[in-house]
Amino acid sequence: MAFIGDAALSKLLDLLLGKSVDAALNFVADHKQVYDQLKEWKSLLPGIKAVLNHAEEKQIKDEGVKSWLEDLQDLAYDADDILDDFAYEELRLKLHKTQAQASTSKVRKLLPSCCTGTDFTPSSFLFKNAMIPKMKEITARLNSLSTRRSSLGLSEILPQAASSERKKPARLQPTSVMDGGVEYVGRENEKREMLDLLKTNNSDGVCVLSIVGMGGMGKTTLAQLVYNDASLEESFDHKAWVCVSEDFDAVKLSNSILQSIDPSSSDLKDLNLLQVKLKEKLSEKRFMLVIDDLWNESYDDWTILRSPFGAMSKIIVTTRLQKVSSVVNPMKTFHLDKLSQNDCLSIFTQHVFGARNFDGHLQFKQVGENLVRRCNGLPLAAKAIGSFLRTTKNLDEWERIYESEIWDFPENQCAIIPALRLSYHHLPSHLKRCFAYCSIFPKDYEFEEEEIILL
């Protein structure tokens, strides 16, 4: 999982592009060669930093991109060292000036005027001359990285206009349709409470319920269980399900909702026309909407999307982020916790054997239970491992999987990897750095809060 170190790299580039370079430019303004080198750094770095997000995603399957990132990190540290040298030299000259001013008036008069400031002294000029070869080497490496960036196909990923590679989901988006061959377990209490709230009449505007939990905790499954419950058939005139994920597009989402209500409606591009039609269709209608996997934290975007829905509408939002839940202002938030060992066992055996237990496969019982303990209450992990082992009925192979890590599974056969990677990508930069730092500790290391803070 080398990609987690890129958060620190991004932060380092921010520093190089910020006050560090500006301070150095002021310090070397009297030396044209050094000044020109720094200006070139400042012109090249933004283009490199702009493609970091794309490189972070692409390096997982592209060794060339991984090597590019490693070279960039080495360069960033070397450039940071040079900027530190400039900062140290500037500080030394200021101290020299202070000491000189504290000397006797006779000594000060003997000093040439060119040596009394911090901008130029003979030793300072020699220092800057000595830095030129190091700086030219950094500039050459920067230019090389820029050229390689283009040949590797790295491009900028904008916050709400991601590249086609990023838009392509790591796995198929969930729908409202459930697998009829699986018996779902573990969320009975939450399901019952949600159904009661959905059947309750309200006149205070749109009623929103939110389901919050980390990736793989079963938020979508709970929404599916509620959405498909037969007892709601008499409670709503229309139902709709939309999966948002990272690409929040109000026009696209509104079209999907409208076509769920009226399949004959055309695909409209104008948001105003869309919302007017939606409001007409839903007037005096009891409407239930599921918005699955919402990441957008903008209150304005939420109010625009919600505006066509009246007091007879009920909305279920699933999200990994508590902030998103706060934005949608739910009547009730359901925070999903881990499942019990028994529930995870049931999920695992259903996907590996098509049964609720190990009764017909007792030879796998012990290692199977050990595997499920490794899932740590995460239903997606139980499903992923069960699905992976479905075609493997060899006890030695099961033992080998138990001794390995979930990360060793092929990504196209294990949904847990992209599910958790997506959670990582959406961490704030400072939390990515904390995550990267904590990852250097060995597996099963017992963290002490004060120790980590001090480190």
Side-chain angles (χ1 to χ4, degrees):
M1 296 185 67
F3 64 90
I4 58 178
D6 300 334
L9 176 57
S10 177
K11 199 68 178 177
L12 183 57
L13 291 180
D14 283 339
L15 290 172
L16 293 178
L17 286 165
K19 294 180 180 179
S20 296
V21 170
D22 290 339
L25 281 168
N26 290 332
F27 177 59
V28 303
D30 62 331
H31 197 299
K32 186 177 186 309
Q33 281 184 281
V34 176
Y35 184 82
D36 289 346
Q37 291 295 318
L38 275 178
K39 288 291 285 185
E40 191 165 358
W41 290 14
K42 197 164 184 179
S43 69
L44 290 169
L45 280 169
I48 290 174
K49 184 179 184 299
V51 303
L52 268 187
N53 282 337
H54 192 194
E56 181 178 335
E57 293 180 2
K58 198 171 180 181
Q59 61 136 346
I60 298 164
K61 295 181 179 178
D62 190 323
E63 286 296 322
V65 175
K66 184 178 179 182
S67 174
W68 184 87
L69 279 169
E70 290 169 352
D71 290 345
L72 175 58
Q73 181 159 308
D74 288 343
L75 180 143
Y77 283 124
D78 290 344
D80 190 45
D81 288 343
I82 289 175
L83 294 177
D84 281 345
D85 288 342
F86 282 129
Y88 174 81
E89 178 66 10
E90 184 175 17
L91 187 63
R92 188 189 69 79
L93 289 174
K94 286 180 179 178
L95 181 62
H96 173 78
K97 180 180 179 180
T98 301
Q99 290 172 339
Q101 289 174 341
S103 300
T104 62
S105 167
K106 182 178 179 179
V107 172
R108 288 199 306 272
K109 289 178 181 177
L110 292 174
L111 289 170
S113 60
C114 65
C115 297
T116 59
T118 62
D119 293 328
F120 177 82
T121 67
S123 64
S124 172
F125 192 79
L126 290 173
F127 166 79
K128 292 168 187 174
N129 270 346
M131 297 300 288
I132 293 174
K134 295 180 181 179
M135 298 189 69
K136 284 185 174 180
E137 182 197 1
I138 296 290
T139 305
R141 288 161 66 189
L142 273 171
N143 278 302
S144 173
L145 285 169
S146 292
T147 303
R148 287 165 61 194
R149 173 196 67 188
S150 301
S151 65
L152 289 167
L154 298 176
S155 57
E156 183 174 0
I157 293 179
L158 301 176
Q160 290 298 329
S163 68
S164 59
E165 178 173 332
R166 178 156 183 161
K167 284 184 179 179
K168 184 175 69 176
R171 57 190 176 107
L172 292 176
Q173 290 183 341
T175 69
S176 64
V177 180
M178 304 191 74
D179 183 356
V182 175
E183 183 179 345
Y184 294 87
V185 296
R187 302 296 182 196
E188 291 83 3
N189 293 336
E190 292 90 342
K191 176 186 173 184
R192 189 181 308 112
E193 187 175 355
M194 291 184 75
L195 289 172
D196 289 342
L197 290 170
L198 290 169
K199 293 172 187 176
T200 303
N201 293 325
N202 64 290
S203 56
D204 300 326
V206 179
C207 170
V208 180
L209 305 177
S210 68
I211 305 172
V212 181
M214 66 174 284
M217 196 57 77
K219 302 179 298 295
T220 298
T221 300
L222 176 57
Q224 288 172 329
L225 288 167
V226 172
Y227 186 86
N228 290 287
D229 192 271
S231 67
L232 291 181
E233 290 300 320
E234 301 298 322
S235 300
F236 296 102
D237 301 301
H238 299 293
K239 293 195 301 181
W241 177 290
V242 290
C243 185
V244 183
S245 196
E246 296 181 277
D247 182 23
F248 186 95
D249 183 332
V251 172
K252 180 181 175 183
L253 293 172
S254 298
N255 262 315
S256 295
I257 296 168
L258 179 60
Q259 288 170 8
S260 295
I261 297 168
D262 180 10
S264 64
S265 62
S266 57
D267 198 11
L268 299 174
K269 304 298 182 186
D270 186 281
L271 183 60
N272 178 61
L273 291 176
L274 267 169
Q275 297 209 324
V276 168
K277 274 204 166 190
L278 265 177
K279 192 163 187 174
E280 289 174 355
K281 294 284 184 183
L282 295 175
S283 178
E284 303 300 318
K285 299 291 185 181
R286 298 166 301 171
F287 177 56
M288 176 182 174
L289 171 65
V290 173
I291 301 176
D292 186 36
D293 200 21
L294 183 62
W295 290 88
N296 192 302
E297 300 176 359
S298 167
Y299 177 72
D300 289 339
D301 287 349
W302 167 249
T303 54
I304 290 170
L305 182 66
R306 185 197 62 190
S307 57
F309 311 126
M312 298 177 75
S313 297
K314 306 286 180 78
I315 301 176
I316 297 173
V317 172
T318 75
T319 181
R320 302 184 196 192
L321 307 176
Q322 178 57 46
K323 186 174 180 180
V324 171
S325 178
S326 300
V327 165
V328 302
N329 191 27
M331 172 189 287
K332 169 90 176 179
T333 299
F334 294 84
H335 293 276
L336 297 193
D337 204 351
K338 299 173 182 178
L339 291 183
S340 67
Q341 172 74 0
N342 285 339
D343 286 336
C344 276
L345 272 172
S346 176
I347 293 171
F348 174 80
T349 54
Q350 285 190 72
H351 286 283
V352 75
F353 299 130
R356 287 292 305 274
N357 51 51
F358 288 96
D359 286 354
H361 309 272
L362 292 177
Q363 70 272 33
F364 295 102
K365 189 173 189 296
Q366 184 175 351
V367 66
E369 289 176 346
N370 290 336
L371 277 165
V372 171
R373 285 190 189 94
R374 284 206 157 179
C375 297
N376 198 28
L378 197 65
L380 180 58
K383 177 183 176 182
I385 297 175
S387 302
F388 182 74
L389 293 174
R390 188 176 183 87
T391 57
T392 304
K393 298 300 189 288
N394 181 293
L395 188 58
D396 290 339
E397 182 68 8
W398 281 46
E399 293 280 3
R400 187 190 69 79
I401 295 300
Y402 172 68
E403 294 297 332
S404 72
E405 299 289 332
I406 289 177
W407 306 108
D408 294 335
F409 293 2
E411 185 168 331
N412 62 352
Q413 296 181 35
C414 185
I416 191 71
I417 298 172
L420 296 183
R421 180 177 296 126
L422 185 59
S423 294
Y424 169 78
H425 280 311
H426 281 269
L427 285 175
S429 178
H430 67 285
L431 290 184
K432 281 186 178 181
R433 296 177 70 204
C434 291
F435 191 84
Y437 180 80
C438 291
S439 74
I440 69 176
F441 290 91
K443 186 176 180 295
D444 296 325
Y445 180 83
E446 187 171 339
F447 290 94
E448 294 289 341
E449 180 182 1
E450 186 175 351
E451 176 193 11
I452 293 295
I453 292 170
L454 291 173
L455 287 171

